[in-house]
Amino acid sequence: MIAHAIVFYIFSLIAIVSAIMVTVSKNTVNSVFFLILDFISISCLFIMIGAEFLGMIMLIVYVGAVAVLFLFVVMMLNVAQQKNEWFNSSGRSSHIPVGLLVSIIIFFELIIVIGGWKYKPDLLDSIAIEINTDLTNTQSLGSVIYTDYIHLFQLSGMVLLVAMIGAIVLTFRQRSGVKRQSYFKQISRDRKDGIELVDVENNKGVKIDV
Amino acid sequence: MAELFIFFEQIYRILFLLIPVLVSVAMIVWLDRRVWAFVQKRRGPNVVGPFGLFQTLADALKYIFKEIIIPASSNKVIFILAPIVTMTLALIAWAVIPFSETFVLADINVGILYLFAVSSLGVYGIIMGGWASNSKYPFLGAIRSAAQMVSYEVSIGVIIINVLLCVGSLNLSDIVLAQKDLWFVIPLFPMFIIFFISALAETNRPPFDLPEAEAELVAGYQTEYSGMMYAMFWLGEYANILLMCAMGSILFLGGWLSPIDLFPFNVIPAPIWLILKILFLFILFALIKAIVPRYRYDQLMKLGWKIFLPFSLIYVVLTASFLMYFDLLPGN
């Protein structure tokens, strides 16, 4: 039990410190690396409370895919230049009210959630589905999501699909003059339309690429 | 006292797994070069030791004694961390690989997810190395590889779903035991092919070795690395290849099971079968390296997103409907 507690505190310490470092560190790429460390320690915490499926999905989705895209975007920015613009420009004060608003809202939400912790035993009575402790949590999650809440699940899937299509439409640019390879066209070419034999007259030459 | 004993027993078991893995990585590098040479009618490494078997050890020794050069303008912490991350991730994944019914380090419920998660983390070693080098070629290589690995992970994930539909469990031992009567390579043969090709792309093997395409990018993300750090990248890469082969043999070729449950076959111990299957897949990897030319980058992306992903998604639907129609779904 003591070993369990020690490991828990190690992981949560890493999680909190790296969460702070995400906001504090000046290099954006380092921030993303700390974010990844944060995700990993959170997923370790998930595994420690026995939610192994959630922990692994956290690793696969957030660390394996989302954070890679973050890193991808951040590395593309010219970091040094951006840093100077951000910290030296006089316009930076205009970001403070927005940031303050968001952080105040998050702070109150956290207070409500942590305050609600006190009523945790009562909350457990009000859940709609009985928790079956015999099943592994992959099985029980599957049965809850795909049988009891299938409509909500499909609905959220549709929302994500719409968001995805929206993102594609917003960023799609039709460029002209791009040479594309069509496998079908390439394979169906034969000698007849690939080669033309021309008798070249002396001192005249041929016109190519018509 | 008892806890201490358990602790040391675990350490012993981990070493008992890791040291053979490291040795076999060294051997597999030799095998790779030999197969490659064989296809091209060359001799390959044949000088150091019998058949040149100690060539990799000699190379490793050379790397250890070489100077480690850290570029002055690099981000030093991340630069040093990158090969360590690659190597660690390549080795920790072996914890869940079952070599027989009893011989498995961690028999966890979500074994296949763990393997998938660890192999999807593998991209970080490459991105970190490429970015921290602060040089153009490594950076281009890292960006290419990030896009490539993320794309092919998606199709590997969908292929895993196909297998899981037939098994009904995420535990690797259960996946192997479900193939007692019929290896999944027979009903899911197209998926096996796609898995194999995606594994080539996921481990940056030829014909998908664009991240380190030497004609365009010098050596990709490894350009600035030297000495032991380069060797660690290299070890991690081959450990990952072995891991992908192990994953393929567990998902499709029946893991430690013998092909037929008859006398001469079933006396051979289970781990030997798994090792033989891994070797078979690895020799295929090596042959493909020798005979297939490198893909162009847009062809690679097209293959991943426009061919493999839709095809494996359709196959998921087919598998699910087949199992549903004939009432073969596991767990019923």
Side-chain angles (χ1 to χ4, degrees), chain A residues 27 29-30 33 36 40 52-53 56-57 59-60 62-69 71-72 75-76 79 136-139 181-183, chain B residues 75 78 108-110 113-114 116-118 120-121 123-124 127-128 131 139 142-144 146-147 150 153 168 170 296 298-299 302 307:
Chain A
N27 189 336
V29 176
N30 286 350
F33 282 129
I36 292 162
I40 292 175
E52 75 264 2
F53 184 77
M56 287 299 160
I57 288 296
L59 269 188
I60 293 170
Y62 283 94
V63 186
V66 173
V68 173
L69 295 182
L71 213 57
F72 211 77
M75 281 178 176
M76 292 289 201
V79 176
T136 65
N137 58 69
T138 316
Q139 280 172 317
Q181 180 184 25
S182 156
Y183 299 138
Chain B
N75 187 330
I78 295 178
I108 58 176
N109 279 336
V110 287
L113 280 184
Y114 174 82
F116 189 59
V118 170
S120 71
L121 292 189
V123 67
Y124 282 110
I127 306 187
M128 284 162 85
W131 179 78
F139 187 59
I143 284 191
R144 275 188 181 186
V150 169
E153 248 163 51
L170 297 175
R296 220 172 49 216
D298 61 315
Q299 288 174 327
K302 196 170 180 177
I307 300 173

Side-chain angles (χ1 to χ4, degrees), chain A residues 10 21 49 64 94 110 112 119 134 153 157 177 182 184 201:
Chain A
I10 289 174
M21 287 307 287
I49 58 168
S94 67
L110 279 178
I112 293 167
Y119 305 102
D134 300 334
F153 178 72
S182 156
F184 183 73
E201 281 179 54

Side-chain angles (χ1 to χ4, degrees), chain B residues 158-167 175 179 182-196 248 250-253 311-312 314-320 322-323:
Chain B
V158 177
I159 292 162
I160 289 175
I161 292 175
N162 267 302
V163 174
L164 295 182
L165 274 172
C166 305
V167 179
I175 291 176
Q179 304 178 56
L182 185 66
W183 291 0
F184 287 145
V185 66
I186 297 165
L188 298 176
F189 187 69
M191 287 299 102
F192 175 65
I193 298 290
I194 293 186
F195 177 84
F196 185 73
I250 285 167
L251 287 176
F252 292 101
L253 299 177
F311 184 65
S312 37
I314 290 170
Y315 216 85
V316 169
V317 176
L318 274 180
T319 313
F322 181 84
L323 292 173

Side-chain angles (χ1 to χ4, degrees), chain B residues 256-323:
Chain B
W256 72 76
L257 298 171
S258 71
I260 5 174
D261 202 10
L262 285 176
F263 166 66
F265 293 105
N266 56 14
V267 278
I268 297 173
I272 302 281
W273 279 119
L274 183 64
I275 290 167
L276 283 178
K277 285 164 189 173
I278 292 174
L279 271 180
F280 168 72
L281 283 181
F282 183 78
I283 288 174
L284 282 185
F285 264 61
L287 281 177
I288 283 180
K289 177 180 181 174
I291 60 183
V292 184
R294 185 178 291 136
Y295 256 55
R296 220 172 49 216
Y297 195 69
D298 61 315
Q299 288 174 327
L300 173 97
M301 282 295 158
K302 196 170 180 177
L303 187 71
W305 288 106
K306 291 190 180 167
I307 300 173
F308 283 0
L309 184 62
F311 184 65
S312 37
L313 271 176
I314 290 170
Y315 216 85
V316 169
V317 176
L318 274 180
T319 313
S321 355
F322 181 84
L323 292 173

